[in-house]
Amino acid sequence: MTTNARFTALAASLPSTVPFTGPEEMERRRGAPFAARLGANENGFGPSPRAIAAMQAAATEMWQYGDPASHDLRQALAAHWGCGVDNIVVGTGIDGLLGELVRLTVSAGEAIVTSLGAYPTFNYHVAGFGGRIETVPYRDDAEDLPALLARAAQVDAKLVYFANPDNPMGSWQRGADVAAALDALPEGCLLILDEAYGEFAPEEASVPLAVDDPRVIRMRTFSKGYGLAGARVGYALAAPELISAFDKVRNHFGMNRGAQAAALAALQDQDWLAHVRDEVTRARDEIARIGAAQGLTALPSATNFVALDCGGDGARARALVAALAEEGVFVRMPFVAPQDRCIRISCGPSADLDALEAALPRALARLDPVA
Amino acid sequence: MTTNARFTALAASLPSTVPFTGPEEMERRRGAPFAARLGANENGFGPSPRAIAAMQAAATEMWQYGDPASHDLRQALAAHWGCGVDNIVVGTGIDGLLGELVRLTVSAGEAIVTSLGAYPTFNYHVAGFGGRIETVPYRDDAEDLPALLARAAQVDAKLVYFANPDNPMGSWQRGADVAAALDALPEGCLLILDEAYGEFAPEEASVPLAVDDPRVIRMRTFSKGYGLAGARVGYALAAPELISAFDKVRNHFGMNRGAQAAALAALQDQDWLAHVRDEVTRARDEIARIGAAQGLTALPSATNFVALDCGGDGARARALVAALAEEGVFVRMPFVAPQDRCIRISCGPSADLDALEAALPRALARLDPVA
């Protein structure tokens, strides 16, 4: 016997595999740092200088727990969105909030619906609480909301996951279309509208729904547009009855104090966000140009990453991801066909894209060596 | 209908009450900041200057996710404890790790055993997963390990919670006695040895058990001795089979990157820890002196706080806590009798203790106004 712990039947049944290998672990395995870190959709243009200053100031206060209510941040978010403080819960990134939402709503054996190849961490949480994952294929490299909702009705789903814009493909849908589609949402089914990349999307993608709409919970993050992935701050917007339920299960003192300060400062610097948006737009074009020069086609993107169609199957894309890593460039790719014909490259500063431009032909040459 | 979310039966049954009100919320309610923040067992002597520097340096890297493996920190902890990296899991404070451990081991209706009036956040997690909380009274203001283990055998407990030193009383037990008592631990029952305050305890309190001992999981934190409560870094030490199970449920990308860097730097500055220990010893004596001057008796403490016996019942202590708050001093107190005859005051720098010394007679006068 190596532990007295008697695991629950559910815990004993869960796989021990780790959802993602982080870039640091990949660097340890290859024995060298990456020249360009373009795989995790991090925002290499960085957070607002005001957010950096806020974290540096908070460092000397770090002996104090953070405010468990995240009061100041929620006040600022309420003003930003024109809603009530009781419409907002703050958590350790969308990942943490998704886990809490699944815990609140999904009992063992109950169904959720998501797209085949959509955000795997949501599936990790659903599996972790014994939920049943029902999937619907992408349609033209986009999540197919009408099909998701139809499946939800068939399987009596508790939750439907839908990201707009989408990760990993970068596609986006008109907000008016999303809102109209919700007429088909079954009663008792909640739509998770993951807007992690919302700060990069065109105005037209914003979904015209009241924050109190009972059918939807919107997830937002400071990891992407605001460049604070390492801080771990996300939030959800929904009706107060749903928001207050998070207080039943969340880790109340779980927020890093400096992260709270950083998010507040970042939110108050919308000029920096506009600057980042411009840089991202430029970088998307640059990635498309670098890909095109090697015969790879960029898909349209409303995010801070670009899916490059490698013109082959998943095996070829996987080989290219591995070859790029050997050339010092960290990228990732979609998990399932047909999306896995692509590799996914995050936007970053010029030096990173220069490294990509240098590495891509060399990586491709590794795949197709001259005989 | 205000939300489409259909909560699980368990979630619907949970109370909406929040476990602790944070000091910031109390300040908002009273409309003024506290002069002394001595209620949450935070470490007002602060973290190592090296940890502060590490956080300030990490601020500019905060666009990157933290390493989901917490590799560097775990390596350093393994060297510190003379154990393997696979004996260590890092999480968002002991609070976060307790939640994950309960999730892994406690199914609805299953029992855990703890002391009546011990750490409430553990109970919060157990209730949150539908577990049954069995309690054993304190004995002479200390947790009664033999009685806890006897109760565990009676109720087929999955977990026994035992803190050494204890919070909220500050008492501690000889490590050799703890180890010997474990002969009575039932098979299939895991002891949680919460050593949150272990850095303040005398050497004799350290429990002589191998890290691979199947019966125990030890919880440690950077919040107390290392002064990083706001960073949210804790870790557990146990056999690899138990440690690896956390990977099935934990939020892999949940660690703040600056917090990881801060914890690593703090661990590497044991001189600062020794300095903090000296300051805490001095502050404990000072709190005892301040209390004695007003007729309140300090209990012996092996932690960074002191329980002051107010010589009355819980109502009197509660009134004193409220009166101290009105006088600008934030303290807390035990929740249940007979421990609730005490108030609990955290150690802090001289300025805070000066504020305490000035406030205490005024607060007592509020309780016993001259007629």
Side-chain angles (χ1 to χ4, degrees):
Chain A
M1 190 184 58
T2 56
T3 175
N4 273 36
R6 282 178 285 164
F7 298 111
T8 67
L10 174 58
S13 75
L14 294 174
S16 305
T17 49
V18 170
F20 283 110
T21 302
E24 291 82 2
E25 178 64 24
M26 298 168 69
E27 289 176 330
R28 287 188 290 269
R29 288 181 194 167
R30 68 191 291 266
F34 287 122
R37 183 170 162 131
L38 300 172
N41 295 347
E42 295 160 330
N43 173 350
F45 304 106
S48 158
R50 288 199 228 167
I52 293 174
M55 286 185 275
Q56 290 174 334
T60 61
E61 297 172 0
M62 206 62 88
W63 60 275
Q64 301 179 16
Y65 289 102
D67 174 12
S70 292
H71 174 271
D72 296 349
L73 178 56
R74 283 164 67 229
Q75 285 276 52
L77 285 167
H80 180 80
W81 290 106
C83 66
V85 170
D86 58 355
N87 289 116
I88 302 169
V89 58
V90 167
T92 51
I94 290 179
D95 283 0
L97 292 163
L98 285 173
E100 288 158 3
L101 179 62
V102 170
R103 179 176 164 191
L104 285 169
T105 56
V106 179
S107 298
E110 292 183 330
I112 65 87
V113 175
T114 185
S115 302
L116 185 61
Y119 193 48
T121 302
F122 175 64
N123 296 7
Y124 168 77
H125 289 309
V126 172
F129 287 101
R132 208 171 78 239
I133 298 163
E134 299 277 345
T135 60
V136 166
Y138 275 63
R139 184 190 179 101
D140 300 332
D141 297 321
E143 298 187 46
D144 185 348
L145 186 54
L148 288 163
L149 300 183
R151 177 66 65 86
Q154 285 164 11
V155 301
D156 188 27
K158 287 284 193 79
L159 303 171
V160 170
Y161 176 90
F162 176 72
N164 192 38
D166 172 68
N167 174 25
M169 302 311 283
S171 53
W172 61 277
Q173 310 199 14
R174 290 180 59 238
D177 295 343
V178 172
L182 287 188
D183 289 346
L185 186 78
E187 215 174 297
C189 181
L190 182 73
L191 183 83
I192 303 170
L193 180 59
D194 184 342
E195 298 182 328
Y197 298 93
E199 281 76 11
F200 301 113
E203 181 53 34
E204 209 186 17
S206 123
V207 181
L209 290 175
V211 68
D212 281 326
D213 192 300
R215 301 171 296 176
V216 176
I217 184 167
R218 286 169 62 197
M219 300 273 185
R220 285 268 176 169
T221 183
F222 285 89
S223 297
K224 306 300 181 185
Y226 293 102
L228 287 167
R232 311 288 47 229
V233 190
Y235 58 100
L237 298 166
E241 185 187 45
L242 176 52
I243 291 299
S244 66
F246 283 81
D247 279 342
K248 296 178 168 190
V249 299
R250 71 186 180 91
N251 184 6
H252 286 261
F253 284 83
M255 288 300 296
N256 180 288
R257 187 178 182 93
Q260 292 172 317
L264 180 59
L267 186 70
Q268 287 166 343
D269 192 353
Q270 293 291 314
D271 288 347
W272 182 263
L273 179 62
H275 151 77
V276 166
R277 267 199 218 102
D278 289 346
E279 294 284 0
V280 162
T281 302
R282 246 190 302 278
R284 283 197 302 237
D285 292 345
E286 184 69 3
I287 293 168
R289 185 190 62 74
I290 291 168
Q294 305 298 323
L296 312 184
T297 307
L299 274 58
S301 168
T303 65
N304 72 330
F305 60 86
V306 176
L308 283 184
D309 187 332
C310 301
D313 61 3
R316 181 170 176 86
R318 260 185 299 281
L320 183 54
V321 167
L324 279 168
E326 288 178 54
E327 296 291 343
V329 174
F330 166 55
V331 304
R332 285 204 175 114
M333 62 176 288
F335 294 97
V336 299
Q339 298 95 282
D340 67 357
R341 71 191 189 281
C342 298
I343 62 173
R344 193 195 68 180
I345 302 178
S346 308
C347 294
S350 310
D352 294 314
L353 298 191
D354 290 348
L356 172 69
E357 184 161 24
L360 187 57
R362 292 201 300 264
L364 286 164
R366 283 173 181 258
L367 305 195
D368 307 304
V370 177
Chain B
M1 189 184 57
T2 56
T3 175
N4 272 36
R6 283 178 286 164
F7 298 111
T8 68
L10 174 59
S13 75
L14 294 174
S16 305
T17 51
V18 170
F20 284 109
T21 303
E24 291 82 3
E25 179 63 24
M26 297 168 70
E27 289 175 330
R28 286 188 291 269
R29 288 181 194 168
R30 69 191 291 267
F34 287 122
R37 182 169 162 132
L38 301 172
N41 297 345
E42 295 160 331
N43 173 352
F45 304 106
S48 159
R50 287 199 228 167
I52 293 174
M55 285 185 276
Q56 290 175 334
T60 59
E61 296 172 0
M62 206 61 88
W63 60 274
Q64 301 179 16
Y65 288 103
D67 174 12
S70 292
H71 175 271
D72 296 348
L73 177 56
R74 283 165 67 229
Q75 284 275 47
L77 285 167
H80 180 79
W81 290 106
C83 67
V85 170
D86 57 355
N87 289 116
I88 301 169
V89 58
V90 167
T92 51
I94 290 178
D95 283 1
L97 291 163
L98 285 173
E100 289 158 2
L101 179 63
V102 170
R103 179 175 165 190
L104 285 168
T105 57
V106 179
S107 297
E110 292 184 330
I112 66 86
V113 175
T114 185
S115 303
L116 184 61
Y119 192 49
T121 303
F122 175 64
N123 296 7
Y124 168 77
H125 289 308
V126 172
F129 287 102
R132 207 171 79 239
I133 298 164
E134 298 277 346
T135 60
V136 166
Y138 275 62
R139 184 190 178 102
D140 300 334
D141 297 321
E143 296 188 47
D144 186 349
L145 185 55
L148 289 163
L149 300 184
R151 178 66 65 86
Q154 285 163 11
V155 300
D156 189 28
K158 287 284 192 80
L159 303 171
V160 170
Y161 176 88
F162 176 73
N164 192 37
D166 171 67
N167 173 25
M169 302 311 284
S171 53
W172 60 277
Q173 311 200 13
R174 291 180 58 237
D177 295 343
V178 173
L182 287 188
D183 289 347
L185 186 80
E187 216 173 295
C189 180
L190 182 73
L191 183 82
I192 304 170
L193 180 58
D194 183 341
E195 297 183 328
Y197 298 93
E199 281 76 12
F200 301 115
E203 180 54 33
E204 209 186 18
S206 122
V207 181
L209 289 175
V211 68
D212 281 326
D213 191 302
R215 299 171 298 176
V216 176
I217 184 167
R218 286 168 62 197
M219 299 274 184
R220 286 268 176 169
T221 183
F222 285 90
S223 298
K224 306 299 181 184
Y226 293 103
L228 287 166
R232 311 287 50 227
V233 190
Y235 58 101
L237 299 165
E241 187 188 43
L242 176 51
I243 292 299
S244 66
F246 283 82
D247 278 342
K248 296 178 169 191
V249 298
R250 71 186 181 91
N251 185 5
H252 286 261
F253 284 84
M255 289 300 297
N256 179 288
R257 188 179 181 92
Q260 293 172 319
L264 180 60
L267 186 70
Q268 288 165 344
D269 192 354
Q270 293 292 313
D271 288 347
W272 182 263
L273 179 61
H275 151 76
V276 166
R277 268 199 218 101
D278 289 346
E279 295 283 0
V280 163
T281 303
R282 245 190 303 277
R284 284 197 302 237
D285 292 346
E286 184 69 2
I287 293 169
R289 185 190 63 73
I290 292 168
Q294 304 300 322
L296 312 185
T297 308
L299 274 57
S301 169
T303 64
N304 72 330
F305 60 85
V306 176
L308 284 184
D309 187 333
C310 301
D313 60 3
R316 182 171 175 85
R318 260 187 297 282
L320 183 54
V321 166
L324 280 168
E326 289 178 55
E327 296 291 342
V329 174
F330 166 54
V331 304
R332 284 203 176 115
M333 61 176 290
F335 294 97
V336 298
Q339 297 95 284
D340 69 356
R341 71 190 189 282
C342 299
I343 62 173
R344 194 195 67 180
I345 302 177
S346 308
C347 294
S350 309
D352 294 315
L353 299 191
D354 291 347
L356 172 68
E357 185 162 23
L360 188 57
R362 293 201 300 263
L364 285 164
R366 284 174 181 258
L367 304 196
D368 307 303
V370 177

